[in-house]
């Protein structure tokens, strides 16, 4: 199983969608970082931006810090975080028992592990991401210390481009129209990382875009990840795709444009890192679907009556920010910009 990520700043997540709780262990967080549960809970509140289209699940996302923090500061030991599930409803999946949901991970889990968790997919559920959000909140606090900031927004949902607030409402109406008919929709999320100093990352197998891509593509339902100009680079020419260099106001080397998305040779240029993520439509839908019953070994029509996220694109943004923060903090520690063991003003043991 692959539930851990990172080299020096390493996380392990655990827990299932319909179990009592989910959580994570962060190993490698330097001592001296101010941290309490309100930091984490405010990050977790970002998982429910729009309950009508995002998630009908009424989770409070209460979080507890079980280890690694004393008197409001990290102490350099593993940080253990737990987030309780308070609105799991496994019974709503009873009608789908032994029936493989098209588009979900039921069949592949069965093929790999010999069983499948019919109650929402266990760790293949979007709910698994709550532990990533908690870990990401810690990484973001560290990243902010060196001026690295993360933002994201849906730029397309249900086939509608979103430039402003009005577009969001139009897209939302389109999502709800399909949801009423029992169907789901997908979208595109734009992720921007600002304040990255130049020279962070590594060549060959340690390329920053490879590590970012791996982390972002590990989010359930993400089908593609574009950096900078992305797919459009295939149709560009060198003369139009290359970003020219110039000296900035402080004499530092900068690129005039940023079509490379802030990354060259797997290392940051110092410009914004720009990424787009393709979010596929929610697989579990109420429209009847052709599938098979594993026990009866017969074709069946699946008629699911439970809850599903009409469009989880708005939820992907904060999760993508968290994943990017986890990757970048690991690289910032490896490059020496963040300290591996203690922050300068820390007083471990006597905060
Ligand atoms: C925040 C979030 C919420 C999700 N909500 C649902 C959902 O309600 N129902 C569902 O079938 N899939 C949902 N998904 C998508 C599945 O997790 C994903 O499609 C599944 O794990 C299969 O993995 P794959 O699509 O990456 O192959 C969600 C994903 C995320 C990130």
């Amino acid at each position: 199983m692959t539930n851990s990520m990172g080299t020096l700043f390493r996380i392990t997540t655990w827990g299932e969608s319909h179990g009592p709780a989910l959580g994570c262990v962060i190993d490698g967080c330097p001592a001296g970082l101010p941290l309490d549960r309100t930091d984490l809970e405010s990050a977790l509140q970002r998982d429910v931006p729009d309950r009508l289209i995002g998630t009908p699940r009424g989770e409070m996302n209460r979080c507890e810090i079980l280890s690694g923090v004393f008197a409001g500061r990290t102490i350099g030991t593993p940080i253990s975080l737990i987030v309780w599930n308070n609105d799991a409803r496994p019974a709503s999946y009873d009608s789908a028992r032994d029936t493989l949901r098209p588009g979900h991970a039921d069949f592949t889990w069965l093929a790999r592990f010999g069983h499948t968790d019919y109650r929402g997919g266990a760790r293949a559920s979007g709910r698994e991401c709550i532990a990533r959000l908690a870990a990401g909140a810690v990484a973001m606090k560290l990243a902010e210390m060196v001026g690295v900031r993360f933002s994201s927004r849906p730029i397309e949902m249900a086939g509608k481009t979103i430039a402003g607030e009005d577009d969001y409402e139009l897209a939302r109406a389109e999502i709800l129209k399909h949801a009423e008919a029992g169907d789901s929709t997908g979208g595109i999320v734009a992720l921007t990382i600002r304040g990255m100093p130049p020279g962070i990352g590594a060549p060959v197998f340690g390329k920053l875009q490879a590590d970012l891509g791996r982390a972002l593509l590990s989010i359930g339902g993400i089908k593609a990840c574009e950096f900078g100009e992305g797919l459009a680079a295939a149709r560009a020419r060198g003369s139009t795709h290359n970003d020219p260099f110039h000296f900035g106001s402080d004499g530092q080397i900068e690129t005039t444009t940023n079509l490379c998305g802030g990354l060259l040779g797997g290392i940051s240029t110092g410009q914004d890192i720009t990424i787009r993520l393709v979010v596929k439509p929610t697989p579990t839908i109420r429209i009847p679907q052709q599938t098979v019953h594993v026990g009866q070994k017969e074709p069946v029509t699946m008629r699911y009556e439970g809850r599903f996220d009409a469009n989880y694109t708005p939820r992907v943004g904060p999760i993508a920010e968290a994943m990017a923060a986890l990757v970048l903090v690991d690289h910032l520690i490896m490059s020496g910009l963040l300290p591996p063991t203690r922050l300068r003003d820390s007083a471990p043991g006597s905060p």
Side-chain angles (χ1 to χ4, degrees):
M1 289 293 280
T2 49
N3 298 296
S4 303
M5 183 185 99
T7 304
L8 294 181
F9 187 87
R10 192 164 171 77
I11 65 153
T12 300
T13 70
W14 55 266
E16 289 89 38
S17 160
H18 287 74
L22 300 103
C24 66
V25 177
I26 305 167
D27 204 1
C29 180
L33 181 74
L35 188 70
D36 63 32
R37 65 188 289 174
T38 54
D39 292 322
L40 304 170
E41 285 180 353
S42 54
L44 300 187
Q45 286 318 307
R46 297 186 69 203
D47 192 43
V48 281
D50 189 336
R51 213 178 271 288
L52 201 54
I53 63 167
T55 175
R57 210 167 144 160
E59 292 293 347
M60 305 297 289
N61 288 335
R62 291 278 173 259
C63 182
E64 279 174 59
I65 301 174
L66 300 180
S67 69
V69 175
F70 176 58
R73 278 179 188 258
T74 58
I75 54 173
T77 59
I79 302 169
S80 241
L81 309 172
I82 184 166
V83 185
W84 299 100
N85 283 331
N86 62 269
D87 192 27
R89 291 187 208 164
S92 66
Y93 290 90
D94 277 354
S95 63
R97 211 175 176 136
D98 291 336
T99 310
L100 302 176
R101 282 175 300 166
H104 217 293
D106 301 343
F107 167 61
T108 47
W109 272 62
L110 183 65
R112 176 78 167 83
F113 300 109
H115 70 91
T116 181
D117 190 331
Y118 67 92
R119 310 159 308 159
R123 286 185 65 71
S125 161
R127 179 69 183 153
E128 175 268 332
C129 292
I130 203 72
R132 302 173 185 234
L133 275 177
V138 180
M140 274 191 208
K141 286 199 90 175
L142 284 165
E144 270 167 27
M145 297 185 73
V146 289
V148 179
R149 302 173 310 280
F150 303 82
S151 62
S152 62
R153 65 182 189 90
I155 56 169
E156 186 182 313
M157 292 198 299
K160 304 275 181 210
T161 305
I162 304 168
E165 197 57 38
D166 291 350
D167 301 325
Y168 185 88
E169 288 310 318
L170 285 175
R172 202 167 173 274
E174 187 72 10
I175 291 166
L176 291 174
K177 187 182 84 188
H178 291 290
E180 235 151 74
D183 212 348
S184 64
T185 45
I188 302 175
V189 169
L191 168 67
T192 306
I193 302 153
R194 296 193 171 82
M196 265 306 271
I200 306 299
V204 191
F205 300 119
K207 280 184 164 181
L208 204 45
Q209 67 263 39
D211 284 357
L212 282 167
R214 183 183 166 89
L216 294 167
L217 288 166
S218 77
I219 302 170
I222 303 304
K223 296 308 274 186
C225 175
E226 285 187 297
F227 290 88
E229 206 184 9
L231 284 178
R235 279 167 238 123
R237 295 184 301 281
S239 57
T240 59
H241 180 69
N242 294 342
D243 300 304
F245 289 107
H246 70 266
F247 287 106
S249 48
D250 299 332
Q252 75 280 20
I253 299 170
E254 288 178 349
T255 57
T256 307
T257 51
N258 187 25
L259 297 176
C260 68
L263 294 163
L264 288 171
I267 300 169
S268 59
T269 64
Q271 307 294 305
D272 294 351
I273 297 178
T274 56
I275 301 172
R276 281 181 302 280
L277 298 172
V278 173
V279 183
K280 82 178 193 184
T282 315
T284 313
I285 52 177
R286 279 197 283 272
I287 285 187
Q289 297 186 89
Q290 185 56 51
T291 184
V292 294
H293 191 283
V294 177
Q296 296 162 1
K297 295 194 175 9
E298 275 184 359
V300 286
T301 302
M302 179 164 185
R303 294 177 201 283
Y304 174 74
E305 295 299 333
R307 303 179 293 184
F308 69 96
D309 300 345
N311 189 313
Y312 58 95
T313 310
R315 291 176 66 196
V316 165
I319 299 164
E321 290 179 45
M323 294 311 290
L326 291 163
V327 169
L328 292 183
V329 161
D330 199 24
H331 275 272
L332 287 163
I333 294 175
M334 285 193 279
S335 70
L337 233 88
L338 277 171
T341 51
R342 56 186 289 184
L343 300 172
R344 226 185 319 214
D345 64 345
S346 74
S350 56

